[in-house]
Amino acid sequence: MKEKKSQIDDNVIENNKNVKVDPKKTKLIVFISLIAVAILAVIAGVVVFYLASPDIKEVPQNLRVEQVDGDYYLTADYQDDFGYYFVIEQNINGEYIEIDVVESDINTINLSKNANILLNAGSEFRFMVAFQNENKSLGSFSNFAFWTVTGSLDKPVVSFENNILSWSSILNAYNYTLKITYPDTATKDIEVFDTVFDMNQFEKGIYQIYVVANPNGNFYSSTSNLITVQVI
């Protein structure tokens, strides 16, 4: 019996000797196993990250444009739980086109320093914003806020010679208003569509005058410096 068992063991050993192990296959199996483990680790990390991030149920409120120290800012109400995802669209040929998105940790962005937009007077924009998680997922967007850029006209430069009042032509001005103070009387407003005005129709004396440029479109009016003239 022992002799038979010994013979079987010898056969097994001999067969094992005949089995050839391919080193390339071994390395490939190890490499694939490592990749599988890495992929599973990444998937597990992503799942944990998303499960750990809070759901976004709030919607940003009071989206608006404010002017501070000459710059325009797009602002929403403040909160400290999430970041902000601003979307900027411009009306181009009657259609609003998305021209930029801005991710921000705070509730405001500076439109005046955004290189992707041109704040020319009369340009029309609309904006929306959503809260954003650390994992970059977004909540619901706010309602659109609409805004038209309004600029200020240049100030008229006024001169007076030979009883003729004149001033510089102002781009985008529709007309001009002369605010003339008569001696010992209230100010009188005179509407003018030219850039000159003949003061010979007034009595001799000293007058104080402002020239106001009135806008044509989306501009603020502008007023010249006060000028004192003497009609002779």
Side-chain angles (χ1 to χ4, degrees), residues 51-77:
L51 290 177
S53 299
D55 292 333
I56 304 175
K57 298 180 180 179
E58 296 83 358
V59 178
Q61 301 295 324
N62 296 323
L63 186 62
R64 60 203 179 272
V65 175
E66 300 176 338
Q67 188 174 21
V68 180
D69 295 332
D71 282 354
Y72 292 107
Y73 291 84
L74 181 61
T75 303
D77 283 351

Side-chain angles (χ1 to χ4, degrees), residues 197-218:
F197 184 76
D198 189 350
M199 294 289 293
N200 284 305
Q201 58 187 287
F202 292 93
E203 296 179 357
K204 294 180 180 180
I206 296 176
Y207 300 84
Q208 291 185 318
I209 303 172
Y210 287 105
V211 177
V212 180
N214 300 311
N216 181 15
N218 297 287

Side-chain angles (χ1 to χ4, degrees), residues 71-142:
D71 282 354
Y72 292 107
Y73 291 84
L74 181 61
T75 303
D77 283 351
Y78 173 79
Q79 55 76 49
D80 56 5
D81 294 326
F82 307 104
Y84 295 81
Y85 187 91
F86 293 95
V87 177
I88 303 171
E89 298 181 354
Q90 184 175 358
N91 189 336
I92 300 175
N93 297 325
E95 182 180 359
Y96 280 98
I97 306 297
E98 182 180 298
I99 57 174
D100 199 14
V101 295
V102 180
E103 299 179 33
S104 175
D105 293 330
I106 59 176
N107 64 318
T108 184
I109 59 174
N110 190 326
L111 297 176
S112 298
K113 294 183 178 179
N114 188 316
N116 294 322
I117 61 177
L118 295 177
L119 299 182
N120 297 322
S123 296
E124 298 178 1
F125 294 89
R126 73 178 184 182
F127 313 99
M128 61 181 178
V129 61
F131 291 133
Q132 185 178 49
N133 266 337
E134 292 181 357
N135 59 21
K136 302 301 182 180
S137 64
L138 301 177
S140 298
F141 278 96
S142 66

Side-chain angles (χ1 to χ4, degrees):
M1 188 72 178
K2 289 183 178 179
E3 183 180 351
K4 186 175 182 181
K5 182 177 179 182
S6 175
Q7 187 177 0
I8 293 174
D9 290 340
D10 292 340
N11 291 336
V12 170
I13 293 171
E14 186 65 28
N15 289 336
N16 288 337
K17 288 181 179 179
N18 294 329
V19 175
K20 295 182 178 180
V21 178
D22 190 341
K24 292 184 178 179
K25 286 187 177 180
T26 302
K27 290 181 179 179
L28 181 61
I29 292 172
V30 172
F31 180 70
I32 292 174
S33 300
L34 291 175
I35 291 177
V37 171
I39 292 174
L40 290 175
V42 170
I43 292 174
V46 170
V47 170
V48 171
F49 179 70
Y50 273 85
L51 290 177
S53 299
D55 292 333
I56 304 175
K57 298 180 180 179
E58 296 83 358
V59 178
Q61 301 295 324
N62 296 323
L63 186 62
R64 60 203 179 272
V65 175
E66 300 176 338
Q67 188 174 21
V68 180
D69 295 332
D71 282 354
Y72 292 107
Y73 291 84
L74 181 61
T75 303
D77 283 351
Y78 173 79
Q79 55 76 49
D80 56 5
D81 294 326
F82 307 104
Y84 295 81
Y85 187 91
F86 293 95
V87 177
I88 303 171
E89 298 181 354
Q90 184 175 358
N91 189 336
I92 300 175
N93 297 325
E95 182 180 359
Y96 280 98
I97 306 297
E98 182 180 298
I99 57 174
D100 199 14
V101 295
V102 180
E103 299 179 33
S104 175
D105 293 330
I106 59 176
N107 64 318
T108 184
I109 59 174
N110 190 326
L111 297 176
S112 298
K113 294 183 178 179
N114 188 316
N116 294 322
I117 61 177
L118 295 177
L119 299 182
N120 297 322
S123 296
E124 298 178 1
F125 294 89
R126 73 178 184 182
F127 313 99
M128 61 181 178
V129 61
F131 291 133
Q132 185 178 49
N133 266 337
E134 292 181 357
N135 59 21
K136 302 301 182 180
S137 64
L138 301 177
S140 298
F141 278 96
S142 66
N143 294 329
F144 280 114
F146 294 84
W147 178 60
T148 300
V149 181
T150 303
S152 179
L153 295 177
D154 293 334
K155 293 173 58 174
V157 177
V158 185
S159 60
F160 183 77
E161 187 176 358
N162 298 327
N163 289 350
I164 301 297
L165 188 72
S166 62
W167 54 92
S168 55
S169 178
I170 303 302
L171 183 65
N172 294 310
Y174 173 68
N175 63 6
Y176 305 90
T177 300
L178 306 184
K179 293 183 174 293
I180 302 176
T181 301
Y182 291 79
D184 303 322
T185 63
T187 300
K188 181 178 181 179
D189 291 349
I190 301 176
E191 189 176 55
V192 180
F193 286 88
D194 204 345
T195 57
V196 294
F197 184 76
D198 189 350
M199 294 289 293
N200 284 305
Q201 58 187 287
F202 292 93
E203 296 179 357
K204 294 180 180 180
I206 296 176
Y207 300 84
Q208 291 185 318
I209 303 172
Y210 287 105
V211 177
V212 180
N214 300 311
N216 181 15
N218 297 287
F219 292 89
Y220 296 114
S221 62
S222 63
T223 303
S224 72
N225 293 331
L226 177 66
I227 182 172
T228 300
V229 302
Q230 183 174 10
V231 176
I232 55 176

